[in-house]
Every structure is written in C-alpha cells, then in structure tokens.
Amino acid sequence: MEFVIGATAACGACIFSNPMDVLKTRMQLQGELKARGQYTIIYRNIIHAGIAVAKADGITGLQKGLVPALSYQVVMNGIRFGMYRRILDSGVISRADGSVSSLGCIAAGAFVGVVGGVVGSPFYLVKTHLQSHAAESIAVGHQHKHEGFIPALYKIFNQEGVKGLWRGATTTIPRVGVGSAAQLFSYSKSKDWLDHYGLYPRDSWQSTFVGAMVSGIVIATSMSPFDVIATRVYNQGLDKHGRGLLYKGITDCIVKIYKTEGVWGFYKGWTAIYFRIGPHSFLNLMFWDHLQKLYLKVSPDDGELGEGSAEEQMRIEGISLQRSEESDVQKLHDSSLPSRHSLSLHFDTIRTVPRDIVHQSEEGSDVSPTHQSLG
C-alpha cells in the first residue's frame, strides 16, 4: 500500500510541476558546450521561457513529456516513499529515544532514491527526449522527434535493445541519490525547526509548505550539477555505433561542461529547478500525507493491534511500546513528539492527541488520530 500511496501522491504533484520541468530541460540544453556570447539566448529566464514555449509550441507544449513523467513518478517515487516508510517503520535508522538519526536519514534517502531512479530510468530517458523537442524557432539540444511515449520506447528498444532503454542511467545515481537525501533530510529538519521554535505545528500545512520550499533551495543547489549532467547525457544523439555524439560518460560530461561553460554551466536552469522542486515537494508531501490519513480511516485493519502476549512489543515510528494486562490504556511521552502532545495507547487504537484531552480520550470520547508527514 505504501507504493500505491507514494506513486499516487507523486503523480498528483507531477501534473502541476511538469511545465517547470519542460522549461528546466530547455534552459539546461541552451548553449550546450558553448561559452556565453557564442550562442543565441532563446530562454532568458523562466517567465520568458514559458511565454516562448506557449507561443511556439502552444499552451500544451508546456506539458510535453507528461505521460513518461507520470510513469517515472509512479516507479521512482512509489519505490522511494514506500521503501523509506518501511525503513522508518523498521527502526533501523532510529535512535534509542525514537528520534531519527540524521546520518541514517541521509543514507536511507540516498539509497531509496537511487533504487527508484535506476528502475525508472527508461521513463526519464523518454521524458527528456520529448521535453527537449520543440518548434525549430526555439529548439535547443539534440532533437529526437519521437511521435509519442510508446513509439519512443519501441524505437529505442528496436534500435538499441534493452541496454538502450537504460542509456544514461549511471547519471541518475548521483542525481537522485543527492536529491533524495537532500529532500528527505532538509524537509524533516525544517519541520523540526519550525515546530521547535513554535512557528507552526509539525502536522500543519504551513509547516509542510515552508519545509518544502526551504528544502527546495537545498535540493536545487545540491542537485543542479547532477541534473544538468543527466539531461545532457540522456538527450545527446548517438552515432551509428550507438555511442554518444557529445559525451562518453559522466566524467567526460563534467570536464567538457567545465571547460566550455564554466562552473555556472552546471547551474543552468537553477530557478526552474527550484520552482519545480519546491511546489512539487509541497504538493507531493501534502497528497502523500492526506492519502495516508484517508487510508488509515478506511482501512478495515486500522487501529487493530491483533492478538499477542501480554508483553507483546509494538513499534510506531521507531518508538517501542509494551502492552500490559494491568490497564487497557497506556501513555507515553516521547521527546520526538511536539511539546503539546503525548501518545494515548489503547488495545485497539494508537493516537497522537493533545495532552489536555488525553483523559477525555481515556474516558471514551472521540479524538481524531493524526499522522506525521514523511520525515
């Protein structure tokens, strides 16, 4: 179920963020391997780029590559969020007090990101090809001229075999590894900081929004060089032997971009990356959080702890609880929870509730459970 929730949330966010992905791809390919002043600037900034694409390709041009982008989100984020939740639930990266280890969070985020990115690489390849394709007046980079998502997959497979579908996949390892680790770590820490200083409750949409936008700065800055490299390698044309026309691999790409475009060449399209990642992360995490809550409400097994011994141990978000026969209610205060909350544990329900209504909950009043967002 974690896979379904993660994939659905990512697709919902992708529909809104895909136009920025199109602009990001175009800006990253503009002036490829050329020093500033040696090429015509077609896209001056994201606003100008958006207007240029809408005029030349039509308003639908801003949604180019949407189908492979959604497919990539299903595979990549379905695996990433699903695996990350499993790792959190396992307690592998949790400290003794129930809080999540920063180093463990980074390592787990990078690992699940790489797995999802490599598996979904064929969809990212086609997405890049379709998003780079434009009217001649605004075209940048190699133009693959595929007729659509399925024809593109068939054409690549027919010409290059299965290996061709994963061409450029090695560039995804540092890209998604760094991006995923940066997102899961910076987002979680941003929400912790907001809650610690009493600015916004951790479970509020304001906390999610600010956390996503702040983490977006970290993600865009740390991931931009790898994103530019991935876009260039994925989009390059091939010679008759199936070798890249411009780059032999990641190292060759890095050297050539640095020599011809300088350090700033690795940050082309940074603003488009940020304005894609920030809102995308916010919508993704909001959808994910609400879908989790909906699932917990409609799941027939929600709240059932099942049968077990009196000393059965249950783990919630890395917090170990003991079930006792002495009372049908147990309470636990944990330092990782917001200062105004504690846990009220029943045989059949686990809830996060404000302390001042814990006693009401024990007497049987209905207190709606809450669910923390990712991180």
Side-chain angles (χ1 to χ4, degrees), residues 220-241:
T221 303
S222 59
M223 192 177 75
S224 181
F226 304 106
D227 200 58
V228 170
I229 292 167
T231 298
R232 299 282 183 89
V233 173
Y234 272 118
N235 191 67
Q236 70 175 333
L238 303 176
D239 61 20
K240 61 181 181 180
H241 301 294

Side-chain angles (χ1 to χ4, degrees), residues 128-205:
T128 303
H129 288 184
L130 294 179
Q131 289 179 340
S132 66
H133 182 55
E136 187 176 350
S137 61
I138 60 169
V140 291
H142 186 82
Q143 300 292 288
H144 291 274
K145 300 180 180 180
H146 298 303
E147 295 180 1
F149 174 44
I150 300 301
L153 285 174
Y154 178 77
K155 180 181 177 181
I156 294 170
F157 174 75
N158 202 34
Q159 294 179 348
E160 306 172 52
V162 175
K163 184 179 179 180
L165 293 172
W166 268 270
R167 178 165 55 86
T170 52
T171 65
T172 248
I173 295 175
R175 178 188 172 274
V176 240
V178 170
S180 183
Q183 181 192 35
L184 295 172
F185 174 73
S186 60
Y187 172 76
S188 177
K189 293 304 177 183
S190 295
K191 293 193 73 172
D192 286 344
W193 185 83
L194 291 169
D195 184 65
H196 177 73
Y197 287 98
L199 298 177
Y200 295 113
R202 185 177 176 85
D203 289 334
S204 67
W205 71 266

Side-chain angles (χ1 to χ4, degrees), residues 99-150:
S99 60
V100 178
S101 163
S102 297
L103 183 60
C105 184
I106 294 174
F111 172 72
V112 298
V114 168
V115 173
V118 170
V119 174
S121 185
F123 302 119
Y124 194 91
L125 173 68
V126 175
K127 175 186 78 72
T128 303
H129 288 184
L130 294 179
Q131 289 179 340
S132 66
H133 182 55
E136 187 176 350
S137 61
I138 60 169
V140 291
H142 186 82
Q143 300 292 288
H144 291 274
K145 300 180 180 180
H146 298 303
E147 295 180 1
F149 174 44
I150 300 301

Side-chain angles (χ1 to χ4, degrees), residues 31-54:
E32 187 170 15
L33 297 185
K34 293 179 180 180
R36 179 173 286 275
Q38 295 181 357
Y39 62 92
T40 302
I41 298 178
I42 299 173
Y43 308 108
R44 291 197 295 267
N45 51 58
I46 55 173
I47 296 176
H48 179 261
I51 294 172
V53 172

Side-chain angles (χ1 to χ4, degrees), residues 4 16 112 131 162 187 203 283 298 319 332:
V4 175
F16 294 95
V112 298
Q131 289 179 340
V162 175
Y187 172 76
D203 289 334
L283 292 171
V298 301
I319 302 171
L332 170 70

